[in-house]
Amino acid sequence: MSARDGGAIGTVTTKVPARLDRLPWSRWHWMIVIGLGTVWILDGLEVTIVGNMAGRLSEDGSGLPITDAQVTGTAAALYVAGACSGALFFGWLTDRYGRKKLFLITLAVYLAGTALTALSFSVWWFFLFRFLTGFGIGGEYAAINSAIDELIPSKYRGRVDLIINGSYWLGAMGGALLSVVALDTDIFAINVGWRLAFGLGVVLGLVILLVRRHVPESPRWMFIHGRSEGAEELVTSVEHQVEEEKGIALPEPENSITIEQRKSIGFIEIARTLFRSYPKRAVLGFSLFIGQAFLYNAITFGFGSILEKFFDVPTGNTGYYFAVIAFGNFLGPLLLGRLFDTVGRRTMIAGTYILSGLLLFGTAWLFDRGSLDATTMTACWCVVLFFASAGASSAYLTVSEIFPMETRAMAIAFFYAIGTAAGGISGPLIFAELTESGVVGDAVLAFCIGAALMVLAGLVALFFAVAAEGRSLEDIATPLSAKSAEPADAGGTPSGGATA
């Protein structure tokens, strides 16, 4: 192997993937979930606080000379732009230097950005550190999703990934209720409450950072990057813990894999893998991310403004409504997640995308007729997002499991960045203008754009989604470093047994 291939280290035959996949659920897995998954709670807290506080931040005396549209439009777009660029930057570093180093660094970046946002004294400062906060969160998506999927047994991977990504909405619920308290001028001054809300995010992040220090490196990443002895020792230690906890002897793992170890994978090889070897899977990844990004921007960014402008809900009360739809969002992955492992990926991904899109079309029609008030509108959104949240979470699961391991973090980063840039940067800018106008027809148009893209993404999934349920990651997409690996055919199905 030449230096162009990332630098040959040696050849190793290992059963580490099979040993990890045959583990029963244990306390060790709960430690992984708590240490890595809780960051989505912080992301939900961040986005919701900003959305619900847009009206207060734009009021005289808030300490910031900023408008409502700048908060829900420009600042939201900068947050997402930061997340996209952070995902790409840290995604490349994650595949090169390991999952653990990067999920510690990205959380530290998030903490710094949030703390400095709380100290904002001018519009440019607020914009700059919203971007930096997003930069850290984007890196988290790449580092965390790749680590989770490589550590969780294949039997549970779908439901665990969905519930972890869905925990974003627990943070959203917390942010919604926190904003109610923070916006109460009987408790906090108008220029203090919103700063304390951001400060709470910093405190929670510090607690997560302490827990995360105990989460190990991915053994799958270790054996490819010349640390096979460390991978074997780590998995052996986990096996002993599980056997002691469960009081059973683990069965012998069945499959092994032979790997040509390497230090890194170049961008050209990653791009060739994603688009030449797996073109259908690439189209699937783009579709899922663009659809969910536009749907969520059609509803959640500027949510408070919609309630205020169309239903005369006071600024300080919007948090109660948002807490309700956030709860519906969390229930979706929680209750439907198991079906992604049993009924199957294709049926569930396509079904949740198409159904949520159709339900949003129905909501837009009722809103246009004037048939809804603040309560019934919130109820409709709650039902839409119950299904949409499970679908959106499955987008992260999909791109993290359908490409070769050496490209996993970068694949997550790439599809997240491109899809979210299309829906998450243009979305807030477009929808802020539409909802700020106060014209019902403009808001209906925003809803219909999001709904149409969700339905289209669901149709793509119906044909291109991969039957990954219960299968080893190495079976779904043969590692590039595997000695037996062969290029996939033009249809996106790897030769060597994995089927699309």
Side-chain angles (χ1 to χ4, degrees):
M1 186 179 293
S2 67
R4 286 184 308 172
D5 296 316
I9 300 173
T11 302
V12 61
T13 299
T14 180
K15 291 187 176 182
V16 161
R19 291 167 68 188
L20 288 169
D21 280 338
R22 61 75 152 101
L23 291 175
W25 192 261
S26 67
R27 287 193 296 266
W28 185 79
H29 295 107
W30 278 117
M31 183 266 292
I32 301 297
V33 169
I34 294 170
L36 298 182
T38 42
V39 72
W40 273 260
I41 296 176
L42 293 180
D43 189 16
L45 188 76
E46 279 281 329
V47 173
T48 308
I49 285 174
V50 174
N52 285 342
M53 291 190 175
R56 178 54 48 81
L57 286 169
S58 61
E59 291 178 7
D60 292 336
S62 70
L64 276 182
I66 196 168
T67 66
D68 190 301
Q70 284 179 315
V71 177
T72 60
T74 307
L78 285 170
Y79 178 84
V80 175
C84 293
S85 51
L88 291 171
F89 178 71
F90 289 120
W92 177 72
L93 293 178
T94 297
D95 279 334
R96 187 178 183 89
Y97 296 109
R99 294 14 176 166
K100 178 160 186 169
K101 288 181 181 177
L102 271 297
F103 62 59
L104 292 174
I105 292 172
T106 52
L107 183 54
V109 172
Y110 160 82
L111 290 172
T114 303
L116 291 166
T117 299
L119 301 176
S120 295
F121 58 89
S122 67
V123 174
W124 71 265
W125 181 283
F126 185 79
F127 286 166
L128 174 62
F129 290 107
R130 290 307 294 156
F131 178 88
L132 182 65
T133 303
F135 195 72
I137 284 292
E140 285 278 290
Y141 282 134
I144 301 303
N145 271 303
S146 55
I148 287 171
D149 282 359
E150 290 170 7
L151 292 168
I152 298 299
S154 56
K155 178 181 178 181
Y156 306 101
R157 189 174 61 239
R159 72 197 74 178
V160 170
D161 201 299
L162 257 71
I163 291 171
I164 285 175
N165 279 282
S167 69
Y168 170 100
W169 294 102
L170 288 178
M173 283 177 57
L177 296 175
L178 178 64
S179 67
V180 173
V181 177
L183 290 173
D184 189 341
T185 52
D186 291 334
I187 302 175
F188 300 110
I190 192 172
N191 63 340
V192 173
W194 64 269
R195 298 182 191 275
L196 292 177
F198 283 112
L200 180 61
V202 176
V203 173
L204 293 176
L206 289 172
V207 173
I208 293 171
L209 188 61
L210 292 174
V211 176
R212 190 172 288 184
R213 292 170 55 210
H214 302 290
V215 176
E217 180 57 86
S218 163
R220 282 177 156 104
W221 182 89
M222 292 169 73
F223 71 68
I224 281 185
H225 290 80
R227 295 170 54 187
S228 56
E229 291 184 4
E232 296 287 341
E233 291 174 3
L234 173 57
V235 176
T236 298
S237 173
V238 174
E239 288 172 334
H240 288 161
Q241 292 178 46
V242 173
E243 286 181 330
E244 184 176 343
E245 176 188 340
K246 301 295 182 180
I248 60 172
L250 293 171
E252 285 296 315
E254 296 180 359
N255 302 318
S256 63
I257 187 170
T258 301
I259 292 290
E260 290 277 5
Q261 297 173 310
R262 56 172 80 184
K263 294 178 181 177
S264 62
I265 306 294
F267 276 118
I268 293 176
E269 187 170 2
I270 291 174
R272 186 187 301 122
T273 300
L274 297 185
F275 297 105
R276 183 181 297 176
S277 300
Y278 297 95
K280 290 182 179 179
R281 298 183 183 194
V283 171
L284 174 67
F286 279 129
S287 301
L288 296 182
F289 271 102
I290 290 174
Q292 62 90 21
F294 264 99
L295 178 132
Y296 273 95
N297 283 292
I299 294 178
T300 56
F301 279 114
F303 170 83
S305 296
I306 292 173
L307 290 179
E308 292 165 28
K309 285 184 169 58
F310 296 107
F311 301 111
D312 297 321
V313 175
T315 300
N317 292 343
T318 58
Y320 293 117
Y321 293 90
F322 197 89
V324 173
I325 67 167
F327 183 63
N329 267 287
F330 178 63
L331 284 181
L334 181 66
L335 299 180
L336 300 178
R338 184 174 178 273
L339 300 179
F340 284 77
D341 285 323
T342 55
V343 174
R345 303 284 201 267
R346 179 179 288 113
T347 300
M348 291 305 299
I349 295 171
T352 51
Y353 268 77
I354 292 172
L355 184 56
S356 60
L358 294 177
L359 288 170
L360 185 55
F361 274 127
T363 300
W365 178 72
L366 291 172
F367 180 57
D368 190 43
R369 283 169 48 91
S371 303
L372 300 175
D373 57 22
T375 301
T376 53
M377 174 68 111
T378 301
C380 287
W381 279 341
C382 195
V383 175
V384 170
L385 296 176
F386 174 84
F387 296 100
S389 180
S393 295
S394 73
Y396 295 93
L397 167 67
T398 298
V399 298
S400 69
E401 67 180 1
I402 64 175
F403 297 104
M405 193 185 73
E406 299 89 336
T407 69
R408 181 161 294 119
M410 197 62 204
I412 297 168
F414 185 77
F415 288 105
Y416 170 80
I418 301 300
T420 305
I425 295 177
S426 58
L429 296 175
I430 293 171
F431 298 137
E433 292 295 325
L434 290 174
T435 57
E436 191 181 41
S437 71
V439 177
V440 170
D442 289 346
V444 168
L445 176 60
F447 297 160
C448 288
I449 292 172
L453 289 172
M454 281 296 279
V455 172
L456 289 173
L459 293 174
V460 171
L462 196 60
F463 293 99
F464 290 170
V466 178
E469 57 275 6
R471 293 167 60 189
S472 165
L473 294 171
E474 291 73 23
D475 179 45
I476 299 167
T478 304
L480 302 179
S481 305
K483 291 192 70 174
S484 59
E486 298 177 8
D489 61 32
T493 303
S495 52
T499 61

